[in-house]
Amino acid sequence: GKYTDIAKALEHADSMFAAGASYVDVGGEATNPTAEPITEDEEWQRLEPILSVLLPRYGEKISVDTRHPEIVERAIRYGRFIVNDVTTFIDPKMIAVTARHGLTAIASHLPLAAQGNIQDAHELFRISDTSQVVEELKVQRTRMIDGGIAAKDIIIDPGIGFGKTRLVDWRLLSFANMWSSEAPYAVQAFMIGASCKRFLATDYETGLPLEGVNRYTPGLSVEAAKFAIKTTPAGRRLMLRVHDVAAHAELIAA
């Protein structure tokens, strides 16, 4: 909600690229545990003024965070982009529209039992085993490929903070090390989105809340990213979804 003003949003996107971002993610619907779902029309009213400027300017350096295939169909008129779906492409129509336009896809894990309902995932389906995340992502990746999305165009994200226990969130920082590198499971890249997530204010061994620790504390997200980098096997591409671009760019440069 910080960048609902169009001019500020565009300025912020430009500033993130200037600070070293390789891509900028744009979304019109909140996905936190207290968020209310919105319609596709309302989401598009928020997105169109931004995407109509950013897509011609940056093209596939923009990812669009949406669970609605209608948004992808509307946005493509302004240019190509990456589709970032936090419901793991559970909707066959989302697979179809992404495949039809040959777009890169970020498959971000949401418990399959939630059937794309983000709030149900947060409240009802708390995964407590990392192996379930791996297996469900393999299932969805296969469905995406069967639906026409090229394997080389799929980026895998374990969906930290979406329907998992805090302890599993901690363990998923090492997700790239959990995934088989053998055919047919080789992937283009892994994405870790740990920045400012609730688990950062918990104990990494128990998942229990830490008194007096705020997940927005400067440095917490960078330390989590550092661990993700350290535990990613050599030769695998890791992408970090962050808020503080400059601090993470400095980490990568080091």
Side-chain angles (χ1 to χ4, degrees), residues 10 13-15 17 53-62 80:
L10 295 173
D14 289 336
S15 69
F17 279 120
V53 175
L54 291 184
L55 290 182
R57 184 181 298 175
Y58 293 112
E60 290 177 280
K61 291 185 177 181
I62 299 295
R80 295 176 60 77

Side-chain angles (χ1 to χ4, degrees), residues 24-222:
V24 166
D25 193 52
V26 182
E29 180 180 34
T31 54
N32 62 68
T34 60
E36 291 291 333
I38 61 175
T39 66
E40 292 93 332
D41 286 341
E42 186 175 357
E43 184 180 0
W44 184 240
Q45 287 173 7
R46 298 175 181 183
L47 286 174
E48 184 177 24
I50 308 295
L51 296 180
S52 65
V53 175
L54 291 184
L55 290 182
R57 184 181 298 175
Y58 293 112
E60 290 177 280
K61 291 185 177 181
I62 299 295
S63 63
V64 178
D65 185 338
T66 184
R67 60 191 174 92
H68 295 126
E70 295 85 354
I71 297 296
V72 176
E73 200 65 79
R74 293 180 184 184
I76 197 68
R77 74 183 71 166
Y78 293 113
R80 295 176 60 77
F81 52 91
I82 299 170
V83 181
N84 181 15
D85 182 358
V86 299
T87 67
T88 333
F89 288 77
I90 195 72
D91 185 345
K93 293 180 181 177
M94 181 63 100
I95 295 176
V97 70
T98 302
R100 184 165 64 253
H101 295 295
L103 301 175
T104 294
I106 301 172
S108 183
H109 180 268
L110 193 75
L112 294 187
Q115 286 297 294
N117 187 313
I118 296 169
Q119 299 312 315
D120 278 356
H122 283 307
E123 298 169 12
L124 304 176
F125 303 104
R126 306 280 286 191
I127 289 178
S128 58
D129 186 347
T130 57
S131 65
Q132 183 178 344
V133 177
V134 173
E135 292 309 310
E136 290 191 354
L137 277 168
K138 285 181 178 179
V139 167
Q140 281 306 101
R141 178 180 175 275
T142 298
R143 289 175 179 167
M144 293 167 71
I145 293 170
D146 289 346
I149 300 177
K152 66 178 181 60
D153 292 335
I154 299 175
I155 297 167
I156 297 294
D157 181 341
I160 291 175
F162 285 84
K164 286 94 178 170
T165 66
R166 301 292 181 247
L167 188 55
V168 165
D169 286 336
W170 274 113
R171 291 173 176 169
L172 287 175
L173 288 174
S174 305
F175 181 77
N177 198 37
M178 302 174 187
W179 189 271
S180 172
S181 61
E182 298 178 2
Y185 297 114
V187 297
Q188 177 196 143
F190 298 93
M191 177 175 284
I192 294 294
S195 179
C196 299
K197 293 288 177 71
R198 287 172 171 78
F199 82 100
L200 294 174
T202 67
D203 185 273
Y204 71 92
E205 291 183 336
T206 66
L208 297 175
L210 292 172
E211 186 176 350
V213 176
N214 188 316
R215 61 189 168 121
Y216 298 109
T217 300
L220 281 183
S221 295
V222 172

Side-chain angles (χ1 to χ4, degrees), residues 173 219-232 238 240 248 251:
L173 288 174
L220 281 183
S221 295
V222 172
E223 287 303 310
K226 187 183 298 184
F227 185 78
I229 293 170
K230 180 181 178 180
T231 56
T232 297
L238 179 68
L240 300 172
H248 286 83
L251 167 67

